[in-house]
Amino acid sequence: MRQQRLAVVSGGGTGIGKAIAAQLAADGHRVVVLGRRAEVLEQARASIDRAVGAPSVVPVPVDLTDAQQVGEAAAVIAELGPVDVLVNNAGAVITAPADETLAALADAWRRDLDTNLLTAVLLTTALQERLRRPGGRLIMISSAAAQRGGAGAHSAGSYAAAKAALHGWAFGLARAPGPDGITVNVLAPGYIEDTEIFGDRWSERFHAEKVADTLVGRAGTPADVAAAVGYLASPAAGYLTGQVIGLNGGAVLGR
């Protein structure tokens, strides 16, 4: 009898990451959730296990920008068996530069690149040899900002740039393990409500503007993202690789 499929979700304690973890657990995976806050991960574990009706989630606290911690987390995951699905979801919009100096701008950009790009690079590299062959699934969670561009006082465009870097990296990454039956895809959500990412920038006006930007007249939800990941993670998606898939209600049209 084949052992239970194993999935790893970074940033899996809240919002989109938690919804993805819940979807994968409901689909029958054992799910490792990664994040910096141990108490948040434990709350996610209890909630998802209760919903599924069986122990399904393994919380592993880790700062994914720290190479040593990533290596240690990978060693813990290796004890659980081959990784069938790796979802690089960890990320955040970094706060504005502390002042208008170039040094402050450089610090803000480095934080954004570390949080939204390096986390995925380190974790994927640490687990790459553990991916199941054939059948492994690598999924990067990007953003519509990477497709349409981004700017603003909150990040000076560094968030969009960091997410866009995931795309080029994923394209190259998809080439090597393709013959082994491992797929690599990027999912780029648009405006998703009920997440922590917008912080104090969220308002009713902000929400209305984002909804008006769509063709379907509503905001996306974490469940929308989780459902898309559920397909990309499935055996049915074995012929889909090297793609950036927009999930944005039509706010950014496909090219």
Side-chain angles (χ1 to χ4, degrees), residues 26-111:
D27 289 342
H29 295 79
R30 190 177 190 190
V31 184
V32 177
V33 290
L34 306 176
R36 290 179 293 105
R37 296 173 292 178
E39 69 281 4
V40 171
L41 295 179
E42 178 57 30
Q43 291 166 7
R45 181 206 62 76
S47 173
I48 295 170
D49 283 357
R50 186 164 55 247
V52 174
S56 301
V57 176
V58 179
V60 178
V62 58
D63 180 348
L64 291 171
T65 67
D66 184 311
Q68 180 174 336
Q69 289 191 41
V70 173
E72 292 168 354
V76 172
I77 294 167
E79 295 293 322
L80 302 176
V83 175
D84 293 275
V85 182
L86 171 56
V87 183
N88 284 296
N89 168 73
V93 176
I94 301 302
T95 55
D99 53 50
E100 295 183 355
T101 65
L102 288 176
L105 182 65
D107 286 344
W109 271 73
R110 289 191 184 102
R111 290 198 305 273

Side-chain angles (χ1 to χ4, degrees), residues 4-24:
Q4 185 179 25
R5 285 169 61 85
L6 178 67
V8 178
V9 181
S10 69
T14 62
I16 291 172
K18 181 181 177 182
I20 291 170
Q23 176 74 56
L24 294 173

Side-chain angles (χ1 to χ4, degrees), residues 7-24 31-37 40-41 44 48 62-65 85-94 112-124 127 137-144 159 162-163 166 169 185-190 192-197 221-230 232 247:
V8 178
V9 181
S10 69
T14 62
I16 291 172
K18 181 181 177 182
I20 291 170
Q23 176 74 56
L24 294 173
V31 184
V32 177
V33 290
L34 306 176
R36 290 179 293 105
R37 296 173 292 178
V40 171
L41 295 179
I48 295 170
V62 58
D63 180 348
L64 291 171
T65 67
V85 182
L86 171 56
V87 183
N88 284 296
N89 168 73
V93 176
I94 301 302
D112 239 336
L113 289 167
D114 283 352
T115 301
N116 294 289
L117 175 61
L118 188 64
T119 52
V121 172
L122 291 178
L123 182 60
T124 300
L127 292 177
R137 301 284 182 262
L138 269 171
I139 303 166
M140 317 295 173
I141 305 300
S142 176
S143 169
Y159 174 76
K163 288 298 190 181
L166 281 175
W169 174 60
N185 289 292
V186 178
L187 187 64
I192 306 296
E193 60 185 358
D194 297 328
T195 72
E196 297 178 342
I197 194 167
T221 67
D224 289 323
V225 182
V229 170
L232 292 174
L247 184 71

